[in-house]
Amino acid sequence: MLAHEIRQKYLDFFSERDHLHLSTAPLVPIDALGNEDKTTLFTGSGMQQFKPYFANTATPPHGRVVTIQKCVRTGDIDSVGDLSHCTFFEMLGNFSFGDYFKAEVIPWTWEFLTKVVGLDPDKFCVTVFHEDDEAFEIWHKVVGLPVDRIHRMQADKNFWPANAIEDGPDGPCGPCSEVFYRVVPIEEMTTDPTLTATERYKIDDDAGRWLEVWNNVFTQFDRSLGTDANPVLTPLPKKNNDTGAGFDRIVQVHQNKKSVFETDLFAPILARIAEISGTPYTGTLNETDFALRVVAEHTRTMVFCIADGILPSNEGRGYVLRYIMRRAMRFGKMRLGMSEPFLYRIAPMVIEQMGDFYTEIRERQELILQTIQGEEERFLRTLENGIHKLNEFLDRADAYSLPQLSGAEAFMLYDTYGFPLELTRDMAKERGLNIDEAGFEEAKAEQQQRSREAGAPKEVWATGDNLLNTLQSIAKPTRFLGYSEMESHVKVRAILHNGVSIDTAKPGDTVEVVLDESPFYAESGGQVGDTGSLVGEGSGVECAPKLKVLDTQKTAGFWIHKALVLEGELKNGAWLNATVDAGRRLQVQRNHTTTHLLQAALRIVLGGHVHQKGSLVSPDVLRFDFTHTGPMSHEEIQRVEDIVNEHILMDQPVGIFTDIPIAEAKERGAMALFGEKYGDSVRMVEIPGFSLELCGGIHLQRTSQAGLFRIKSETGIGAGVRRIEAVTGQAAVAYVKELEAKLRDIATQLKTNTRDVLAAVEKSVKERTELQQQVQKLKSGAVSTGADMQESKIGDVLFVTSTMVDADGETLAAVADRTAQSKGSAVVALGSQTDGKALFVVKVTPDLVKRGLHAGNLVREMAKIAGGGGGGRPDFAQAGGKDGSRVTEALQAAAELVRQTVSS
């Protein structure tokens, strides 16, 4: 079977056993409630999205679930390229939330692996927790495995989380049972008769003769500390099962390959790399095949990361992605001879291979390819900058007669500029220098540890949200009415103060109110929460409660109304009239519907690579973050603005479609958001013939209600991400009036009318430029004439210095150039004291640069004396210092440095 057939058979097998198929979660960790899981940078397991279900802080949609989860783990990035390590992989998962347990899942595991996939039953062994007699008996008596292939292991191997009994964390935990497949001939297995079967298994496992393909985790205990501070395992009222099965490994053993790279998951990708590079893949451990595997594996990872909105950057998961991409580029360039961008030509094969199942990579192909190509081009420029930086290090080592480059310098070139150690070593060797390779390895190990800590799971099981636990114990989830109603008669289900349930609230109290129903929209998808009022009924002595709703949030289906009690006493169970601030809601609706128009217009003007990366929809402004590689031109901004206003004026209906099957929505071309997890049914918002998006927000009925749209700014907020801020309706009218007022003020200042402002500005700018040029000529001429130039001979080198007052950098540079030109061959070092600070310029003529004199090195040391720093080219450099009183001392030090260089 091919890989895609095994995927489908897995889903079919468990769907036939009443499992609900849920889609993969994004690689940006999002749990089943839509909340970001900040314990890891990437989704690294199939169960990660289901933490709230295992922790009993949310109710799953079904007691049985099956998934195929895309995962990224980065703890061993630098091992990728061997025959076993991958950063991207797929995890098969079948889960029971208080439904079936060991008696069902262990036989299903065996049936799927041996009957459906067709693996050899005689090549399996399993491990169980040493106290788990139940699992042992099922494997032996029900499945039929002989006892010498069932191995009892300690808590560090077969308990989840590992060693949780002693070390924690508190929360759900339990034993696990791992399934291993023999990947070498029986003749290669350990046969020492003096050893037990388990001892032989451990030896063979360490030697890589067994491959783990499946793990069943049985969460049956709640771990806590007792009164004596010793761990206590309390049986859970509902026991759970969590299966994690390595899809890539199952494909490998089914197709009888020695590594995943020979399966149909990788073979077409490797063939494509071989075609582009002219280097065939032979499956060996040599450097070339290692490089081919690096490129193939990392290309898969970058395709899936970018499709989920993870873009290369200098921090967080974006930093890890950039590291992965540049590692692939380095191996392609250094080992495969790829001097031009090449990864973006390989990525389409990944998309072709996996895009039918993971449709998001096909939908976002343009973004993926553009991002990869842009990063490759940026990397090539970085390599060139790295060469300049390396030459600076080498020049400095020469200037100070250093025997080697430091490990920190070599690693900086490796980490920042993508220089492999071999390239740095070769270039240093040409200059007669060595590298502190031990220091390099130390710096590299520190970086790997940081990456490992960033990518490794820090906490497997959530202990639960106290607020959510409180709500679940006292109320039912809120029914939202706000799509169709702005007012409703509602009942108070809970009053919370600082997360604690209370019975009453008095005037002046700010509380969180949970209602049985609510017309208030709770903040979600970038749209801010509604405000308004809650007013009770009552008369006579007891004043009816009156509350001002300040914000509306939600968690796990509960609407949390943050409200200030203005009058009366609010009691739990009271009936209230809930009223949304209609004017504010309408302005939010204007901005939300217009955000959809904006994204569609951007895709027309800039291209299909544009996808939403984030948004803020408030009553005052709309903010839209989107994927794009560079600043928009004025013409592009204007065209986008025109397209949006055109569709506003067309008075188009805004269609809302609810409970649409997700497959149908995708087939119709509905745009989805990065990082969002959608269920089987979705809500679509359509502006006919122009925009179709999955969206849960509240919108206008017709586009004309937006009134007017104006873009206020377009800026970059990160690599490959731009931000537009814009206004609509009355805010747009006010913005236009503000611009007109500024134009009138400018016209007044220029003593002209608004029609002629541009001509007046152009005239003023031209006159100012001419005056600046005249002043500069006069200034540099006066300094040059009045400068006290001191000349001396250092060996056969003419050294010219001068100390000036209040001369800026441009003036010093002009004087240095003119002096060097007049002397023909010289080192010119100038210093100036301005506002108590020091400024230095050094000029070295070309003949002396060839002899090893370096302006950048000289000026750097001068600046240090004055408490500053700087550098520059060998022929010209400038720097500054904090202490202007030490200018003369710095010039004297420059003379000594020139003397040392000349004498050496």
Side-chain angles (χ1 to χ4, degrees), residues 774-791:
Q774 292 175 20
V775 168
Q776 190 59 46
K777 286 180 181 179
L778 291 170
K779 193 174 181 181
S780 61
V783 171
S784 178
T785 303
D788 181 16
M789 294 290 182
Q790 298 178 356
E791 298 183 6

Side-chain angles (χ1 to χ4, degrees), residues 509-796:
D509 291 345
T510 299
V511 293
E512 293 84 37
V513 182
V514 180
L515 306 172
D516 61 342
E517 300 177 330
S518 176
F520 292 86
Y521 183 85
E523 181 175 334
S524 180
Q527 181 175 328
V528 298
D530 277 335
T531 62
S533 65
L534 295 171
V535 180
E537 298 176 348
S539 59
V541 178
E542 187 172 336
C543 181
K546 182 177 181 181
L547 293 84
K548 180 180 181 181
V549 177
L550 307 173
D551 190 18
T552 309
Q553 301 287 323
K554 66 179 178 180
T555 178
F558 294 95
W559 262 235
I560 313 295
H561 305 81
K562 183 179 180 181
L564 172 64
V565 182
L566 301 176
E567 298 177 10
E569 186 176 72
L570 178 67
K571 295 182 179 180
N572 194 11
W575 285 92
L576 304 172
N577 290 316
T579 305
V580 175
D581 183 335
R584 181 179 182 275
R585 163 79 77 84
L586 178 58
Q587 189 56 32
V588 171
Q589 289 173 272
R590 288 189 178 112
N591 283 335
H592 202 157
T593 299
T594 306
T595 298
H596 287 217
L597 293 173
L598 172 60
Q599 178 165 219
L602 285 167
R603 289 173 64 84
I604 291 172
V605 174
L606 302 179
H609 65 278
V610 169
H611 286 270
Q612 180 175 335
K613 277 286 289 178
S615 68
L616 170 66
V617 181
S618 73
D620 304 315
V621 68
L622 70 86
R623 189 179 71 209
F624 185 74
D625 300 339
F626 61 99
T627 51
H628 187 54
T629 54
M632 293 175 65
S633 67
H634 174 74
E635 290 74 20
E636 288 171 334
I637 293 173
Q638 188 61 59
R639 189 176 170 211
V640 166
E641 195 174 85
D642 289 345
I643 291 173
V644 172
N645 281 312
E646 176 185 342
H647 282 272
I648 289 173
L649 292 173
M650 287 170 66
D651 189 31
Q652 292 176 282
V654 179
I656 306 295
F657 302 89
T658 58
D659 295 325
I660 304 296
I662 184 69
E664 179 184 334
K666 288 187 174 183
E667 186 177 344
R668 290 181 59 180
M671 292 279 292
L673 296 181
F674 286 131
E676 286 287 329
K677 180 163 173 49
Y678 297 98
D680 290 335
S681 296
V682 294
R683 183 173 183 267
M684 292 194 311
V685 177
E686 181 180 34
I687 298 161
F690 188 65
S691 170
L692 182 63
E693 294 190 32
L694 304 183
C695 181
I698 299 179
H699 287 267
L700 301 172
Q701 293 181 330
R702 305 191 70 84
T703 60
S704 60
Q705 292 174 281
L708 174 66
F709 169 75
R710 291 299 305 268
I711 294 175
K712 296 181 69 174
S713 65
E714 189 272 345
T715 56
I717 60 170
V721 182
R722 309 295 298 176
R723 170 174 290 173
I724 281 178
E725 289 198 3
V727 285
T728 64
Q730 289 300 320
V733 173
Y735 178 63
V736 171
K737 288 182 177 180
E738 179 186 344
L739 293 178
E740 290 176 343
K742 289 180 178 178
L743 182 61
R744 287 193 298 270
D745 290 343
I746 293 170
T748 301
Q749 292 291 325
L750 294 172
K751 295 182 173 56
T752 186
N753 55 57
T754 55
R755 289 185 308 241
D756 299 326
V757 161
L758 181 59
V761 169
E762 290 174 345
K763 180 182 177 183
S764 178
V765 169
K766 182 179 178 182
E767 290 174 348
R768 184 173 182 271
T769 302
E770 291 173 350
L771 287 171
Q772 284 179 327
Q773 292 172 348
Q774 292 175 20
V775 168
Q776 190 59 46
K777 286 180 181 179
L778 291 170
K779 193 174 181 181
S780 61
V783 171
S784 178
T785 303
D788 181 16
M789 294 290 182
Q790 298 178 356
E791 298 183 6
S792 61
K793 277 281 189 174
I794 302 177
D796 60 345

